[in-house]
Each structure stands twice: as structure tokens, then as C-alpha cells.
Amino acid sequence: MTGPYLAAAGTAVGPLAEVVLAGDVARPYRLTVPDLLAWPQRQADVAFECATSGVQRHRFTGPLLHDVLADAGPVFDPARRKDRLRFLIAVRGADGHHALLSWAEIDPDFGQAPVLLAATVDGTPLDRAGPQLVLPQDRCGARHISAIDTIRVDGGYRAWT
């Protein structure tokens, strides 16, 4: 197995990696890969075209990003159905790599992209390295984030006046 997908997995004994889930949510918290296993698991067989190493094929398992974030209670205005469309999701890995998604991209009423917070890659648990952001619909793996340390939900983009 090659690429950043397993390189970050590691098998060294040490503390479990934690992800900080913060921002405009009612219940910010920290979670680990074992915590992610409490959500319904999805599996995705993914082929990413990498600029430096060609096509990389891997099987990822984990919950949907939407399910995990919805549990944290994004602070949408319930009186305005479309309010959630202004929310952004920033995901950062321990190596500083980051990606930005829109809430609409993962929301079942809009894009419903099956974005995963992977707890395993090719059957290898990611307990010590931390979960990985997997966007199976992407042809290129540039938005794949290994060893996630922070997920921030940001609804600070108010309507233009």
C-alpha cells in the first residue's frame, strides 16, 4: 500500500488521535476513531488519480461526515430552511493539509455527497493516526485529508446587505 492513505495509519503504540469538532455547533467536542465507530458505517472503494504516484485504489470505512456534524448540532436558524446553505466546513490534518466543503455539498436535501470520516483504510484501523476525510466522488485525491485533527463548522457568512 502506498501514498498518504496508509502512511499516516502507522501501528505504533501510543495515545489515540483526537479530532476537535468546533465552530458554530451547539455541542463542540473531541472524538477518536473508536468514537466514530458508534455511527453507522459506510464503505467506499475509491480510486484517486494522484499527480505524483498515479492511480491509488483503497477501501475506506467510516461514518458519513454529515451524520457526525449533524450530531454536533450546527446552529442553523430553524425558521429559515435555506440558512444551512451559508455554512462551510473546514477540515485540517495534523500535517497542515486542509480542505473546505460547503454544508450543501453533504446535506441530504442538496448535494448528498457521501463524504466519509474514515476509521479504517484497507482494513487497517486509524486509531492512532486519526480519521481521514474521504470524498469518493472526487477524481483527484487533493481533498483527501489524513490524520484529521480539526473540523470546524462556520456559519459566519451572513446574507449580503
Side-chain angles (χ1 to χ4, degrees):
M1 296 179 224
T2 61
Y5 312 106
L6 270 188
T11 57
V13 175
L16 294 178
E18 286 189 332
V19 177
V20 174
L21 199 157
D24 294 328
V25 293
R27 294 173 299 283
Y29 54 84
R30 293 178 181 271
L31 58 99
T32 64
V33 167
D35 295 332
L36 292 175
L37 295 173
W39 277 274
Q41 300 295 292
R42 299 287 181 100
Q43 183 172 295
D45 292 316
V46 178
F48 291 130
E49 292 182 27
C50 299
T52 57
S53 56
V55 176
Q56 298 288 312
R57 297 180 194 285
H58 297 283
R59 173 171 286 168
F60 296 96
T61 304
L64 292 173
L65 175 64
H66 178 270
D67 293 349
V68 174
L69 295 182
D71 187 63
V75 291
F76 305 137
D77 180 347
R80 298 178 47 225
R81 182 174 178 265
K82 295 181 185 177
D83 187 53
R84 58 193 152 151
L85 299 181
R86 68 181 168 86
F87 281 69
L88 298 175
I89 304 159
V91 181
R92 185 183 72 192
D95 64 355
H97 185 65
H98 55 275
L100 188 64
L101 296 90
S102 70
W103 185 271
E105 188 172 357
I106 65 169
D107 191 298
D109 287 340
F110 298 97
Q112 196 173 1
V115 178
L116 295 182
L117 284 177
T120 71
V121 57
D122 298 328
T124 301
L126 297 168
D127 299 47
R128 307 257 182 269
Q132 297 184 12
L133 181 70
V134 179
L135 293 95
Q137 70 278 12
D138 284 6
R139 181 183 59 83
C140 167
R143 291 197 295 174
H144 180 98
I145 307 289
S146 296
I148 297 170
D149 64 7
T150 307
I151 301 172
R152 182 169 180 78
V153 177
D154 191 344
Y157 301 92
R158 304 282 180 227
W160 297 326
T161 55

